[in-house]
Amino acid sequence: MKNILVTGATGQIGSELIPVLRDKYGNQAVVAAGHSRDPDTELAEAGPFCKLDVRDAAGIEQVVAHYRIDAIFHLASLLSAVAEREPQLAWDININGLINVLDVARGRGCAVFFPSSIGAFGPLTPAENTPQDTIQHPNTMYGITKVSGELLCGYYHKRYGVDTRGVRYPGLISYKTPPGGGTTDYAVEIFYSALKHGRYECFLAADTRLDMMYMPDAIEAAIRLMECDGQRLMHRNGYNVTAMSFSPADITREIKKHIPDFTVDYKVDPVRQGIADSWPRHMDDSVARKEWGWQPQFDLPDTVADMLQHLSNRLTTS
Ligand code: AKB
């Protein structure tokens, strides 16, 4: 990778991936492209930033040509809960946006990273040790766009030779940019509430166990997969990756080790609970470990300690 475009630059993953890529490849080599939110000054000033709607195919073509892009991290996407509220918009952004990126990549010889999700599975999927290759019948629009995205990436590789690669991310935990409209967002919100108020009202039931990952591992997964020798990749797209599996009750117990008076109440949101209940509890990610050396660093105790430390610094200085 020489010149890199990151779509969804101001989102939860993009805002943390871009500084890491810029450290590695140089500030000018990494173009940040965001749609709606204003970029923070660090993102916009450290290197090229452009406003881009991924539904605008000509706009993508122009940016890729102008900056001589050879790799695209295509992160722009609506998340699960918001996609249930606006299914047509989710299809438009998540699928038509992806096809635009894949077509430009095909014409300009770019590699493409596509983040799929645990949402690509559904209620018929084995929930424990979810295999790499298994039933994928999601019952949410988000899941339908993610499984279709995996298939499209596979198709563009087989049919047109586009170097597509991707993972199925679990819920992602980070302190820099909050996620927006996801089902696993509780695992980020809980830290803000614990530090600010000492209590949290959780929208998932106490025993809803899901796969999760701390952001530094998510960034490492994307870069490691894109940098590895493509000959090693038998699957290429939709690699299961996970770092831990926990429920709201488990993370509460871990936070209480640092903030003993912290309390959680449960007010279950039926929509998000229904989505979570259709997802795996714990994926088997041995194929990613074998094919490209996936190895997470952060478990639940490490994540909680690091989140609380960074977030309390941010909250006291803001
Ligand atoms: C969401 O909750 O929608 C995302 C995801 C697991 O893909 N965080």
Side-chain angles (χ1 to χ4, degrees):
M1 295 188 286
K2 286 199 183 71
N3 295 311
I4 300 168
L5 172 66
V6 181
T7 71
T10 57
Q12 191 194 13
I13 307 176
S15 59
E16 301 214 29
L17 175 66
I18 289 163
V20 178
L21 287 173
R22 283 181 171 160
D23 276 352
K24 250 178 123 111
Y25 291 91
N27 283 346
Q28 295 310 313
V30 181
V31 181
H35 167 48
S36 51
R37 276 191 262 178
D38 287 333
D40 67 23
T41 29
E42 193 192 318
L43 200 66
E45 283 172 8
F49 179 87
C50 59
K51 206 162 159 31
L52 183 68
D53 183 332
V54 292
R55 293 169 295 178
D56 171 14
I60 302 172
E61 171 75 30
Q62 210 175 19
V63 173
V64 167
H66 179 78
Y67 290 101
R68 298 177 187 283
I69 297 296
D70 62 6
I72 305 172
F73 288 77
H74 177 48
L75 307 179
S77 167
L78 291 194
L79 292 183
S80 54
V82 75
E84 279 315 280
R85 284 201 299 275
E86 304 211 55
Q88 287 81 4
L89 183 65
W91 181 267
D92 200 15
I93 293 175
N94 294 11
I95 291 298
N96 293 333
L98 173 62
I99 291 181
N100 289 340
V101 165
L102 288 170
D103 278 334
V104 171
R106 177 186 163 201
R108 299 256 164 206
C110 306
V112 176
F113 174 81
F114 171 71
S116 185
S117 156
I118 50 174
F121 296 115
L124 301 178
T125 306
E128 293 293 346
N129 285 324
T130 306
Q132 175 65 41
D133 301 305
T134 185
I135 302 167
Q136 287 183 269
H137 285 171
N139 58 4
T140 63
M141 180 49 95
Y142 179 67
I144 291 167
T145 66
K146 287 300 178 186
V147 80
S148 306
E150 290 179 14
L151 293 170
L152 278 168
C153 287
Y155 181 78
Y156 271 70
H157 174 64
K158 189 164 171 282
R159 175 90 197 261
Y160 304 118
V162 179
D163 183 1
T164 55
R165 307 181 185 196
V167 299
R168 294 181 186 131
Y169 278 129
L172 298 180
I173 302 169
S174 64
Y175 56 85
K176 197 168 168 185
T177 305
T183 301
T184 57
D185 293 8
Y186 91 85
V188 177
E189 289 173 6
I190 197 168
F191 288 98
Y192 285 85
S193 283
L195 287 165
K196 282 187 187 164
H197 313 297
R199 58 176 297 277
Y200 177 60
E201 189 176 271
C202 187
F203 58 77
L204 293 185
D207 60 352
T208 310
R209 196 158 54 79
L210 292 168
D211 279 303
M212 297 280 177
M213 187 182 292
Y214 196 31
M215 191 56 84
D217 280 331
I219 301 301
E220 168 63 19
I223 296 176
R224 182 181 280 249
L225 176 59
M226 289 301 278
E227 285 181 343
C228 84
D229 175 3
Q231 301 291 339
R232 295 174 62 187
L233 304 177
M234 298 295 126
H235 287 76
R236 289 198 151 262
N237 290 288
Y239 283 100
N240 288 359
V241 287
T242 187
M244 57 193 121
S245 169
F246 63 75
S247 66
D250 297 329
I251 192 171
T252 301
R253 255 192 309 277
E254 196 59 42
I255 292 174
K256 278 170 86 71
K257 290 182 187 164
H258 302 260
I259 308 173
D261 293 337
F262 176 52
T263 57
V264 175
D265 301 315
Y266 292 91
K267 190 172 172 203
V268 170
D269 165 14
V271 174
R272 284 179 287 188
Q273 186 66 47
I275 296 173
D277 288 342
S278 76
W279 288 353
R281 305 277 160 261
H282 183 237
M283 290 185 288
D284 173 2
D285 62 3
S286 54
V287 171
R289 289 172 191 255
K290 184 162 161 251
E291 290 189 18
W292 49 277
W294 160 243
Q295 181 66 60
Q297 301 300 319
F298 288 85
D299 61 10
L300 180 59
D302 296 336
T303 302
V304 168
D306 208 65
M307 274 295 284
L308 288 174
Q309 194 203 322
H310 280 98
L311 208 50
S312 51
N313 290 346
R314 279 174 79 97
L315 293 175
T316 43
T317 53
S318 67

